[in-house]
Amino acid sequence: MSRIMTGKRVLITGASSGVGAALARQLAAQGAVVGLIARRRDRLSEVLDECQMTSPDSAMWVADLGDTATVGRLALAAWHALGGIDVLVNNAAVPKRRAVTALKPDEVEAVMRVNFAAPMRLTLALLPRMLARGSGMIVNVSSVAGRLAILHESAYCASKFALCGWSEALAVDLAGTGVSVKLIEPGPVDTEIWDRPDNDEPSYRGPKVAADEVAEGIIAAMSSDRFEHYLPNLKPIVDAKNADLDAFIAGAARQ
């Protein structure tokens, strides 16, 4: 087992289930100190208990990242409690599968707060400290939906496209500072996001990747020199879309 993360302090959002929980468990098993953030105290406590078996200094914070006014303070509280943060993993996300003709503005803004504004605020809160130290890493877990439009996913796609653009510009601005940026583009992952209430049925019916497999890919990305990582590798589909966007839109609309 790789020990490259031993002693690293990693703050993970959306850590009570799915990819976030899998990532926390794997990192803790490799000797990292993990800070866990999520809304559901009971589920988060279960993940923390598992992590503390191999990483006793790990900790958790129960928070709703949709309450963006508190996110900056949360980030600083985690920094002080962990004695600094080496890696911030912005993983938390909420869906909103609904035809755009049925969407309400408040629903779109709620998705944007969790999926984009919270990562932005966490990053901006921690960045001055990482820059002063001369080291750090921001890992933004976007989605292939941040590169491809998906039927009835306009709110989710908007938030993930925003996270992709933010991450790219962040990487440009931070080049040479010692603070690196990684952009993760998972495909369909077998998590609770498919079963959330108040969402239309997903149009996708194909295979899904296990959360543990995506978590392994994120850990590998942390030690890579590359910026963007597709898990699994759906980049050829994105490249085909970019080569003929009109054809892609016509095909996607027929799903």
Side-chain angles (χ1 to χ4, degrees), residues 32 44 54 56 88 90 97 112 131 148 228 233 239-240 242:
L44 196 60
T54 51
L88 168 64
N90 289 306
R97 286 186 302 275
M112 291 296 294
L131 289 171
L148 302 172
E228 187 171 39
N233 183 18
D239 290 342
N242 290 333

Side-chain angles (χ1 to χ4, degrees), residues 15-18 25 40-48 192:
S16 63
S17 65
R25 294 185 187 103
R40 296 175 295 183
R41 181 179 297 274
D42 54 342
R43 297 285 298 275
L44 196 60
S45 294
E46 292 174 6
V47 177
L48 179 63
E192 297 174 3

Side-chain angles (χ1 to χ4, degrees), residues 106 126 147 151 221-222 239 243:
D106 287 350
L126 297 181
R147 298 298 195 192
L151 186 70
M222 291 177 183
D239 290 342

Side-chain angles (χ1 to χ4, degrees), residues 59-84:
M60 67 176 235
W61 291 266
V62 177
D64 180 359
L65 294 179
D67 183 6
T68 53
T70 66
V71 169
R73 294 195 298 274
L74 173 65
L76 297 183
W79 178 281
H80 292 302
L82 298 177

Side-chain angles (χ1 to χ4, degrees), residues 130-223:
M130 289 184 173
L131 289 171
R133 188 181 59 197
S135 67
M137 181 180 294
I138 309 297
V139 179
N140 289 331
V141 182
S142 181
S143 167
V144 70
R147 298 298 195 192
L148 302 172
I150 299 175
L151 186 70
H152 293 180
E153 296 272 18
S154 55
Y156 187 75
C157 285
S159 68
K160 293 300 190 177
F161 267 71
L163 189 59
C164 287
W166 165 260
S167 301
E168 287 184 30
L170 198 66
V172 172
D173 280 358
L174 296 178
T177 66
V179 179
S180 61
V181 182
K182 305 296 180 185
L183 179 62
I184 311 298
E185 311 281 23
V189 186
D190 190 10
T191 70
E192 297 174 3
I193 202 167
W194 302 93
D195 306 316
R196 292 287 292 270
D198 197 28
N199 279 266
D200 290 352
E201 285 293 314
S203 58
Y204 181 76
R205 295 286 191 272
K208 299 182 179 74
V209 180
D212 277 323
E213 185 175 336
V214 175
E216 290 173 6
I218 293 173
I219 294 173
M222 291 177 183
S223 60

